Amino acid sequence: MTEGDGSQAPPPRRRGRPSRTEAKTGPDARTRILEAARTEFSERGYDKTSVRGIAKAAGVDAALVHHYFGTKDEVFAAAIELSFEPALVIPDILGSSTEGLGERLAGYFIGVWENPASRAPLLAIMRSAMTHEAAAKVLRVFVLRHLLDRIADQLDVPDATFRAELAASHMVGIAVLRYVIRAEPLASADPQKIIAMVGPTLQRYLTES
Amino acid sequence: MTEGDGSQAPPPRRRGRPSRTEAKTGPDARTRILEAARTEFSERGYDKTSVRGIAKAAGVDAALVHHYFGTKDEVFAAAIELSFEPALVIPDILGSSTEGLGERLAGYFIGVWENPASRAPLLAIMRSAMTHEAAAKVLRVFVLRHLLDRIADQLDVPDATFRAELAASHMVGIAVLRYVIRAEPLASADPQKIIAMVGPTLQRYLTES
């Protein structure tokens, strides 16, 4: 792994700025960039976040951000993946059997949103995607498609991707009404009560043909 | 929708509302103000719309807008009601029996969104509510609560408002993924296919205890 001061990578347009002290310690540069990106997108929104700003917050050169991720859209997609961690959780949720799948999925989703640390970036993603086509495109092309295909691959029903997206739509709508609009009674409902009601719906979409 | 025959088809465009041309000559000031408000909120978003701008677009004095509706928030709420027309459609959707209720509700909702004339203001409402707390509050306090209570009143299940909101959340999420993010395969799916899959979910929430 690089020390992350920018001089380790072969940045073609290195600006020769002095690296920050933090850059030489702690987690590797790639992780620092991703976490900085998540914070920047959360706090500023998609539109006002720049690769330069992310680089500055991570204490690295902008060229290193481009080196690791490419464009701003690609950094955005990677920052979203960091919030969901689908590679880690999808195998766990799908498990070895489809029994209880709907409830596991609802439980995971509500859990991510109940955690303030993951809620903030998710709110930022949703707000950005609702108001900026570029952010919507990232979500549509890089994130959702990938995620839905991955889940659908594990299902044994016709129209698996369509069904996975219907399940996703329900969870997205719950997030909108509970966490964004905060409409009662859903906003104050016990998470377990929501999971118990929604689990069977997701189960039906994902397993019953 | 207003025809209320419970048909699954998207609602016909025929409605009781005057055309734009008629609006300039025929209907009373109150209607003109509401339609101007809907257009202003759709085109400018919640934040940039003012009572003065609405009055100007309607060709009336701002005092008349205040006289009929009160504050900007109250005009916003009234403009939203105009898009949904809940007073007209709820009795039709609920009908005399809960049989087929889920499918009627899904059909009504998809129909409203498939119609470009109602889609534009709905998109504006959702975008505003996602990004401006004042708009979210209008939706939460004046619109959703009222709408959900009205539906829940007609249901014979425990936690009827909670269940009505779960049903609403699913439809909101479908709107987000299909019409805002435009994520495939939901974005291009046949409306009838969506209604057929979602209807039973709504039916379960609204009728099965």
Side-chain angles (χ1 to χ4, degrees):
Chain A
M1 284 295 173
T2 174
E3 298 304 313
D5 63 359
S7 64
Q8 297 286 316
R13 272 172 280 169
R14 193 178 178 286
R15 291 166 206 281
R17 253 182 231 150
S19 61
R20 295 186 172 197
T21 313
E22 315 88 80
K24 290 178 178 153
T25 58
D28 64 77
R30 196 177 182 284
T31 306
R32 278 209 317 283
I33 292 168
L34 266 189
E35 302 210 335
R38 189 162 73 158
T39 306
E40 291 285 302
F41 282 118
S42 296
E43 290 176 357
R44 296 172 194 276
Y46 179 84
D47 218 34
K48 289 181 184 146
T49 296
S50 66
V51 166
R52 184 186 294 248
I54 292 168
K56 195 177 168 196
V60 302
D61 194 275
L64 195 67
V65 178
H66 286 301
H67 169 74
Y68 278 124
F69 299 100
T71 65
K72 171 178 160 180
D73 283 357
E74 287 164 314
V75 188
F76 186 60
I80 295 173
E81 294 253 330
L82 180 71
S83 301
F84 285 110
E85 294 187 322
L88 293 176
V89 300
I90 288 179
D92 273 353
I93 293 170
L94 290 169
S96 53
S97 138
T98 55
E99 205 186 313
L101 170 59
E103 209 152 303
R104 284 198 298 279
L105 200 58
Y108 163 67
F109 184 82
I110 296 288
V112 167
W113 276 94
E114 286 294 304
N115 178 350
S118 37
R119 186 190 306 170
L122 286 172
L123 275 174
I125 291 163
M126 289 188 63
R127 290 195 167 115
S128 296
M130 293 288 289
T131 45
H132 296 285
E133 168 54 20
K137 191 179 170 188
V138 172
L139 205 59
R140 178 169 74 230
V141 176
F142 294 102
V143 182
L144 271 169
R145 195 66 226 240
H146 185 54
L147 197 68
L148 296 175
D149 283 346
R150 218 149 157 180
I151 293 173
D153 271 352
Q154 305 293 315
L155 303 176
D156 189 26
V157 284
D159 279 330
T161 315
F162 174 67
R163 284 156 167 274
E165 193 172 358
L166 278 183
S169 77
H170 196 357
M171 296 187 284
V172 164
I174 287 172
V176 169
L177 291 189
R178 179 174 167 93
Y179 304 103
V180 184
I181 313 290
R182 299 198 314 281
E184 296 295 354
L186 193 54
S188 308
D190 180 345
Q192 293 309 318
K193 185 176 166 186
I194 300 170
I195 295 165
M197 281 294 281
V198 171
T201 299
L202 306 187
Q203 185 74 15
R204 183 185 136 247
Y205 285 147
L206 301 178
T207 65
E208 289 170 32
S209 49
Chain B
M1 45 175 54
T2 52
E3 274 68 23
D5 58 359
S7 150
Q8 299 172 17
R13 297 174 125 248
R14 178 159 60 88
R15 302 177 71 148
R17 202 180 295 152
S19 70
R20 189 176 286 256
T21 317
E22 288 164 342
K24 282 179 184 154
T25 54
D28 60 73
R30 195 177 182 284
T31 307
R32 277 209 318 279
I33 292 168
L34 265 190
E35 302 218 333
R38 189 161 73 156
T39 306
E40 291 285 301
F41 282 119
S42 295
E43 291 176 358
R44 296 171 194 275
Y46 179 83
D47 218 35
K48 290 181 183 146
T49 297
S50 65
V51 165
R52 183 184 295 251
I54 293 168
K56 197 178 167 198
V60 302
D61 194 274
L64 197 65
V65 178
H66 286 300
H67 170 74
Y68 278 124
F69 299 100
T71 64
K72 170 178 159 180
D73 282 358
E74 288 165 314
V75 188
F76 187 59
I80 294 173
E81 293 254 331
L82 180 70
S83 300
F84 285 110
E85 295 186 324
L88 293 176
V89 300
I90 288 179
D92 275 350
I93 292 169
L94 289 170
S96 53
S97 140
T98 55
E99 205 186 312
L101 170 58
E103 210 152 300
R104 285 197 298 278
L105 200 57
Y108 163 69
F109 184 81
I110 296 287
V112 167
W113 276 93
E114 287 293 305
N115 180 347
S118 36
R119 187 191 305 171
L122 286 171
L123 274 174
I125 291 163
M126 288 188 64
R127 290 196 167 115
S128 297
M130 293 287 291
T131 45
H132 296 284
E133 167 54 21
K137 191 180 172 189
V138 172
L139 204 58
R140 179 169 73 232
V141 176
F142 294 102
V143 182
L144 271 169
R145 195 68 226 238
H146 185 54
L147 196 67
L148 295 175
D149 283 345
R150 217 149 158 183
I151 294 174
D153 271 353
Q154 305 294 314
L155 302 177
D156 189 24
V157 283
D159 278 331
T161 315
F162 174 66
R163 284 156 168 274
E165 193 171 357
L166 278 184
S169 77
H170 196 357
M171 296 188 285
V172 164
I174 288 171
V176 169
L177 291 190
R178 178 175 167 93
Y179 303 104
V180 184
I181 313 288
R182 300 199 314 282
E184 296 296 354
L186 193 53
S188 308
D190 180 346
Q192 294 309 317
K193 185 177 166 185
I194 301 170
I195 295 164
M197 282 293 282
V198 171
T201 298
L202 306 186
Q203 185 74 15
R204 183 185 136 247
Y205 285 147
L206 301 177
T207 65
E208 290 170 32
S209 50

